[in-house]
Structure formats: structure tokens, C-alpha cells
């Protein structure tokens, strides 16, 4: 009897989840036109001089009834329902426009935008990117598109062709969440990428877990040996920041440096960070 109760509880829980998914999928289709999406920006800090010259754009969805919904929940739904392309187009326009706004304020800030597997299958992405760079007069190399390994693996030939066409536009490409996907190293070698982002699951606890630290160090060396810029995401404490600097990682991103912030707050953060760098006494360089 207990088992029966458990089963019916389980299945009604599953039905509720199913209903939530269906209704979110439906609401997602209108999220862009109903102004429910916004963008937060999280800085990436260069480890050797602690400068911030680049930010990653992360989409936010404020649902009218459910409140804020995490992209980890709704991006897979948008991919499933085919509304991801619309979201990506909205992100590209919003973020490249923001990049122009920062330039007009005197901040030369590069921007990273996350791209899904389905975007790699649609032919209009390179033309769309090119048109936006022209419209807002942004140099292509100030834009980084982040793709996960699994996005490229899903339809390898088409995805690789698309990555090549995006490279021809002059934008930079990054592999996101590196280490969590299924790609082989021979596959990595064929991808025309510039940057490798070590997944936060290895970085968050690296100061307390020697296996994670070893993986992070080996990944940095692998990336460098392939000529890639290496970024660690999920830097939450100063011990991991110091280790990353020791390992010669190029850039760090994480809550220690800053949470993802709305554009205006990010601008304020940049101003105070740069002021801090300017006034900090310099450590004398050894003769
Ligand atoms: P991601 O691209 O790997 O982004 C990094 C995620 O890690 C972000 O979560 C960020 O807020 C979080 N994070 C950053 N620093 C730390 C840290 O120190 N500790 C911890 N625990 N987390 C940290 P977020 O914003 O919730 O986004 C989750 C994922 O959703 C992203 O992972 C990305 O895969 C996807 N996503 C976000 N925005 C977009 C978008 O515009 N388009 C697409 N296709 N996917 C997006
Ligand atoms: Mg990313
Ligand atoms: Mg990532
Ligand atoms: Mg991720």
C-alpha cells in the first residue's frame, strides 16, 4: 500500500512538472515581445594585471507569475520548443547595442554571448552578427561567441561549418563548460576556437580538492599548448584565484570578482575597479 501511495505521489509530482514545462514553453514564445527578458553582465578579469576589459552576457527571465526563472531551466525548454533562435537574436542585438553604449561612455569592453546548438544549425547567424556589428560600429574582435562542446558534437559537420563562417566575420569563439561534454581532444583540435572556458564544477572547489586542482592545471596547459586563451569560471575564493595565477591561467570569472550585474551596475563596478587599480601602490619590479 505504501508503495502505491509513493507511486501515485511520484507520478502526480511528475505531471505537475510536466505542466510547468508546458506552460513555461508557451510563455517563452512571448517573453521577448513582452519585455520579460533582461541581461546581466559578469566581468572576466585578466590575472596578470587584474584589469576588466571583457564581460559575459547572461540572459534573465522575469516571469509575470513565477518570478525569476534560471536560464539553466528555461534555455533547454527554449531549445526544445524552437524559441531559442528568437532569444539569441534578441541577446545579440541587446548586448552589441550595450557594447556601443559602453564605448560611448569611454569603456572599451568586449562582450561574450552564449550560443546554443540550434543556433549553429541555422544559416542566418553569421549574417545577423555581421549586420549588428555594422549597425553599432563594433569591431568584430570585441565579440566572443561561447558554445558548449556538446553543441558542436550534436551535428558535428554542420556545426563546424557554421563556426568557420562565424570566424570569417572576425568574431572570436570560445568553448564553454570545457570538461563536462563528450568531445574528444581530436575534435577540439578541429574546432576554430580562440578561448577555452574551464567549467566551474572543477574550479569552485579546486583549493580544497587536489583532483580538481590537477584537472584545472592540466586543462590550462592543454589550452595553452593549443594556442588558446584560458578562462576559469566559478572563481569563488581568493585561494583558487591565487592558484589560477600560479598556473598561468589567463582570466578568471566568478562571484569573488563579481556576480552578474545589470548594465548600469556593471558600469559603476568598472569605474570603481579601474580607479582602485590606478590608485593602488605598484609593487616595484625587481631589477
Ligand atoms: P555559462 O555560460 O557557463 O555561464 C556561467 C554561469 O555560472 C552563470 O549562470 C553564472 O551566473 C554562473 N556563475 C558565475 N560565477 C559563478 C561562481 O563563482 N559560482 C557559481 N556557483 N556560479 C557562477 P547563469 O547566469 O544562471 O546561466 C546558466 C547557464 O545558462 C549559462 O552557463 C549558459 O549555459 C546558459 N545561458 C545563460 N544565458 C544564456 C543566453 O543568453 N543564451 C544561451 N543559449 N544560454 C544562456
Ligand atoms: Mg557561457
Ligand atoms: Mg560556462
Ligand atoms: Mg554553464
Amino acid at each position: 500500500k505504501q508503495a502505491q501511495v509513493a507511486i501515485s505521489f511520484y507520478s502526480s509530482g511528475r505531471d505537475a512538472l510536466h505542466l510547468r514545462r508546458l506552460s513555461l514553453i508557451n510563455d517563452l514564445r512571448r517573453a521577448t515581445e513582452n519585455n520579460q527578458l533582461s541581461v546581466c553582465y559578469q566581468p572576466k578579469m585578466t590575472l596578470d594585471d587584474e584589469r576588466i576589459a571583457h564581460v559575459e552576457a547572461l540572459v534573465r527571465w522575469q516571469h509575470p507569475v513565477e518570478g525569476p526563472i534560471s536560464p539553466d531551466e528555461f534555455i533547454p525548454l527554449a531549445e526544445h520548443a524552437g524559441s531559442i533562435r528568437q532569444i539569441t537574436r534578441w541577446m545579440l542585438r541587446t548586448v552589441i547595442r550595450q557594447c556601443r553604449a559602453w564605448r560611448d561612455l569611454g569603456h572599451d569592453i568586449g562582450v561574450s554571448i552564449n550560443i546554443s546548438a540550434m543556433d549553429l544549425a541555422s544559416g542566418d547567424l553569421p549574417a545577423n552578427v555581421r549586420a549588428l556589428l555594422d549597425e553599432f560600429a563594433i569591431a568584430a574582435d570585441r565579440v566572443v561567441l561561447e558554445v558548449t562542446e556538446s553543441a558542436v558534437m550534436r551535428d558535428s559537420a554542420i556545426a563546424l561549418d557554421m563556426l568557420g563562417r562565424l570566424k570569417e566575420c572576425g568574431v572570436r569563439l570560445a568553448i564553454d563548460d570545457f570538461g563536462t561534454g563528450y568531445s574528444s581532444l581530436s575534435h577540439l583540435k578541429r574546432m576554430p576556437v580562440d578561448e577555452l572556458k574551464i567549467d566551474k564544477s572543477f574550479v569552485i572547489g579546486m583549493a580544497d580538492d587536489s583532483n580538481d586542482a590537477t584537472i584545472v592545471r592540466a586543462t590550462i596547459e592543454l589550452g595553452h599548448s593549443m594556442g588558446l586563451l584560458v578562462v576559469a569560471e566559478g572563481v569563488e575564493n581568493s585561494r583558487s584565484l591565487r592558484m589560477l595565477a600560479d598556473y598561468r591561467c589567463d582570466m578568471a570569472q566568478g562571484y569573488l570578482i563579481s556576480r552578474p550585474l545589470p548594465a548600469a551596475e556593471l558600469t559603476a563596478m568598472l569605474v570603481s575597479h579601474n580607479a582602485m587599480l590606478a590608485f593602488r601602490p605598484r609593487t616595484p619590479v625587481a631589477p
Side-chain angles (χ1 to χ4, degrees):
K1 184 158 185 218
Q2 254 186 346
Q4 249 174 354
V5 171
I7 286 165
S8 68
F9 177 76
Y10 175 69
S11 69
S12 71
R14 220 172 46 165
D15 286 349
L17 198 63
H18 186 63
L19 280 178
R20 175 181 164 91
R21 285 207 193 103
L22 283 180
S23 87
L24 290 184
I25 281 175
N26 195 42
D27 299 340
L28 259 177
R29 296 188 218 281
R30 298 237 162 66
T32 43
E33 59 204 69
N34 290 348
N35 293 319
Q36 292 164 4
L37 298 186
S38 61
V39 188
C40 280
Y41 298 88
Q42 187 180 37
K44 293 198 295 196
M45 186 179 78
T46 310
L47 279 170
D48 60 7
D49 62 4
E50 296 182 23
R51 289 206 168 269
I52 294 173
H54 201 100
V55 295
E56 177 177 7
L58 297 155
V59 69
R60 295 291 177 258
W61 183 20
Q62 181 70 30
H63 188 281
V65 179
E66 306 282 329
I69 298 179
S70 158
D72 278 328
E73 180 175 11
F74 77 79
I75 292 291
L77 297 178
E79 287 170 337
H80 181 74
S83 41
I84 189 68
R85 288 180 200 184
Q86 197 188 339
I87 294 175
T88 302
R89 286 184 82 90
W90 183 86
M91 281 297 285
L92 285 167
R93 165 163 284 276
T94 306
V95 173
I96 293 174
R97 196 204 303 132
Q98 181 60 50
C99 187
R100 165 46 49 194
W102 276 319
R103 287 204 75 96
D104 292 344
L105 289 170
H107 302 292
D108 181 10
I109 295 296
V111 289
S112 292
I113 299 158
N114 293 281
I115 297 293
S116 290
M118 281 188 73
D119 296 311
L120 291 180
S122 93
D124 60 358
L125 188 59
N128 185 208
V129 169
R130 215 187 296 259
L132 289 167
L133 294 173
D134 284 351
E135 179 179 348
F136 294 105
I138 294 298
D141 67 357
R142 306 309 283 135
V143 174
V144 178
L145 301 180
E146 299 190 359
V147 294
T148 61
E149 298 161 86
S150 18
V152 181
M153 288 305 284
R154 204 177 296 182
D155 200 335
S156 183
I158 294 176
L160 280 175
D161 177 65
M162 177 64 83
L163 293 182
R165 288 169 55 206
L166 288 168
K167 281 293 303 176
E168 282 167 22
C169 300
V171 298
R172 299 167 57 80
L173 300 175
I175 309 188
D176 205 354
D177 302 350
F178 187 78
T180 59
Y182 297 97
S183 82
S184 65
L185 296 179
S186 66
H187 196 79
L188 173 65
K189 201 177 68 182
R190 287 191 290 134
M191 286 172 67
V193 293
D194 307 280
E195 179 179 312
L196 186 157
K197 298 189 79 174
I198 307 173
D199 191 67
K200 58 177 179 286
S201 61
F202 305 111
V203 178
I204 287 175
M206 65 180 282
D208 300 304
D209 182 320
S210 63
N211 287 329
D212 283 343
T214 303
I215 291 170
V216 168
R217 177 152 60 177
T219 308
I220 293 167
E221 279 166 17
L222 172 74
H224 284 164
S225 69
M226 299 180 92
L228 306 178
L229 192 88
V230 182
V231 182
E233 61 175 38
V235 179
E236 293 188 353
N237 56 64
S238 48
R239 287 177 304 147
S240 43
L241 188 71
R242 268 197 300 278
M243 288 168 77
L244 290 163
D246 281 349
Y247 298 167
R248 300 281 178 266
C249 188
D250 300 292
M251 290 187 163
Q253 179 179 348
Y255 295 166
L256 176 71
I257 297 146
S258 170
R259 298 220 164 224
L261 300 170
E265 286 173 47
L266 195 277
T267 312
M269 190 266 177
L270 274 177
V271 170
S272 66
H273 183 84
N274 290 339
M276 183 274 289
L277 287 185
F279 287 106
R280 190 180 52 184
R282 296 207 164 258
T283 19
V285 183

